[in-house]
Every structure is written in C-alpha cells, then in structure tokens.
Amino acid sequence: MNRDLGRPLSQCTIGILGGMSNQATGHYYSQLNDRLNAMYGGWDNGEIVIVSVNFGNIERFVRHGLWDEAKDYLDEKITRLEGAGSDVILCVSNTMHQVVAPLMEARSTPFIHIADPTGDAIKAAGLKKVALLGTLPVMNSLDVIKRFQEKYDVTIIMPDDSDKLIVDHIIFDQLVRGDLRAESKAEYLRIVETTRAQGAEGVILGCTEIFLLIDQTDLAGFPVFDTASLHIDAAVAFVKAHKA
C-alpha cells in the first residue's frame, strides 16, 4: 500500500463488546490488528476500544435465562463504547446477540451482526443446508433459524438434543477457559459428521471459541464457516470503506 497516508491516519474506531469470553476477545483484538496491518502495511494497525465484561455475570445470565438482567447489564456497556468514540460496534459473542442486537436497533452507531457475514459467505458458496454448533441458546433459537432462512435462504440443521448438551458443555466448561481436550475435539467432529449424514453441506462454528478446537483443516472438503473470523473480516471491510 502507498505509505503516504497522511498523519495521523484517519481511521474508524472499532468498538468491541468483549469478555464473552476473554479467549474470543483476545482473538478479535489480535486478528483485527493483524488484518488491518496487512491492509495498511508498515506499522499501522487498528484503532480499537474494548469494554470487557465479567464473564461470571454472563454465565449466570445465560445458564438461568436471565435475559432482562443481561439486557440491562450490556446496555450500560454499549453506552460506554459509544462514549469512547466507537464508529462501529462488534459483540464477540453469538449468544449475547440475543440481547445486544435489539439494543443496537435503538442506537445510531453502526453494528455488524455476527450472523450476517456468515450468511453472506454461505450464500456465496452456493450452499442451502448447513449445520450449526453453538451454545444451547443459539442452537435452540428460532430467531437464528429464521434469520438464516429469510435473509440467506439457508436451512439450519441442528444436532439432536443429547449432542446439543455435549456441544454446550464443552463451550462453557472448557473452551471459554482455554481448556482444549482431544476427546472433546473428537466429539465435535463426530457431531459434525452426524449432521453431515442428515444433509448438511457445511457447518457454522456459531460460538466464537469453537475455532480453538476445530477448523477447516479438520474437515477437508466440508466447508467450515467460522463466525469469529468472518465477523472480523467484516469489521476490516467496514474500516476500509469508511473514514473516521
């Protein structure tokens, strides 16, 4: 890239609603900077604001279905992000989009919904049926199924109820702690193969920690849509397209 960019470089500030979990938040921060550096070159990277929440609060809200409490808690955090000058906001958790997306509809700051870059990628790949792995609230969400069906003409295939519990347990009790186990990876790959036998043409990693355990290299010839990576790409594209 031409290094004559002008100083200071005019650039959008990315606001990250993080801490859900710290594994995902750290990944977003490092990957945003790496990808923006690849775009700009030299020493440039991103201008990023992070408001990181206490995951212990999030865990309790999710496990007990306390969505109103979660809404109040995260609404105040979003206000902090906006007050810090965020030009676009990302929530690093698929699960918490259940409350964050409606909150952002009432605000003027641009918000990149994590499902949309994934839907775009699935549509571009020409797929019609994909599996979805995520937390129980994500896998049980009719809104998630509806969003992919209505916006992208994609049918979602879910694991059965017993496998949903396995996927959720591994996320909450292992991945958010960076606890990576070979037996858990084997279980995830087994579950993916089960959905493949049911007609899935690819799989959505619908939790921003799943990439820690499985990725495209584990499923040759079977498209893997990593919501975290696609979300990050969308944020980079936003920065490229907008001036601060």
Side-chain angles (χ1 to χ4, degrees):
M1 171 173 276
N2 183 353
R3 299 304 305 146
D4 186 19
L5 299 176
R7 297 296 171 186
L9 174 63
S10 179
Q11 179 183 170
C12 286
T13 297
I14 300 170
I16 297 177
L17 184 59
M20 304 172 281
S21 66
N22 62 308
Q23 304 293 329
T25 306
H27 179 67
Y28 267 69
Y29 181 76
S30 64
Q31 286 298 303
L32 281 167
N33 280 312
D34 286 350
R35 296 180 201 189
L36 286 164
N37 177 257
M39 182 175 80
Y40 288 123
W43 288 265
D44 290 301
N45 49 38
E47 295 194 353
I48 299 170
V49 173
I50 301 175
V51 172
S52 189
V53 306
N54 177 0
F55 188 73
N57 294 331
I58 300 301
E59 186 270 346
R60 178 170 176 76
F61 296 150
V62 174
R63 300 263 203 182
H64 296 277
L66 303 174
W67 301 111
D68 287 340
E69 288 87 341
K71 179 179 177 181
D72 291 342
Y73 180 65
L74 294 177
D75 192 38
E76 188 269 337
K77 307 305 180 188
I78 295 168
T79 297
R80 292 192 190 190
L81 278 174
E82 290 185 326
S86 300
D87 296 301
V88 61
I89 289 177
L90 312 179
C91 172
V92 306
S93 165
N94 283 267
T95 303
M96 299 316 294
H97 271 66
Q98 181 167 328
V99 296
V100 173
L103 287 171
M104 291 306 302
E105 288 177 2
R107 294 170 179 262
S108 59
T109 305
F111 175 68
I112 302 175
H113 193 295
I114 198 167
D116 291 336
T118 299
D120 288 334
I122 295 168
K123 187 174 181 178
L127 306 187
K128 294 295 185 181
K129 292 183 179 180
V130 295
L132 173 64
L133 305 185
T135 63
L136 278 173
V138 169
M139 293 186 290
N140 289 334
S141 173
L142 296 178
D143 288 340
V144 169
I145 293 173
K146 183 178 178 181
R147 191 178 192 96
F148 281 110
Q149 181 66 60
E150 293 186 355
K151 291 193 70 173
Y152 304 103
D153 193 26
V154 171
T155 298
I156 297 297
I157 296 176
M158 299 291 188
D160 65 26
D161 287 345
S162 61
D163 282 343
K164 283 180 180 178
L165 290 174
I166 292 170
V167 172
D168 184 82
H169 162 70
I170 290 170
I171 291 169
F172 267 105
D173 296 326
Q174 297 173 26
L175 299 187
V176 299
R177 299 175 181 272
D179 180 3
L180 310 181
R181 305 182 188 182
E183 61 269 26
S184 295
K185 179 171 184 172
E187 280 288 79
Y188 268 33
L189 293 176
R190 175 191 65 77
I191 292 167
V192 171
E193 288 301 324
T194 299
T195 63
R196 191 173 186 176
Q198 296 169 343
E201 302 167 308
V203 61
I204 299 169
L205 306 186
C207 170
T208 51
E209 287 83 23
I210 295 178
F211 79 91
L212 294 166
L213 200 61
I214 64 171
D215 60 26
Q216 187 64 73
T217 62
D218 299 304
L219 292 158
F222 190 67
V224 174
F225 300 94
D226 178 2
T227 53
S229 183
L230 292 165
H231 203 200
I232 291 164
D233 281 342
V236 171
F238 183 95
V239 171
K240 184 177 181 179
H242 295 80
K243 292 288 187 180

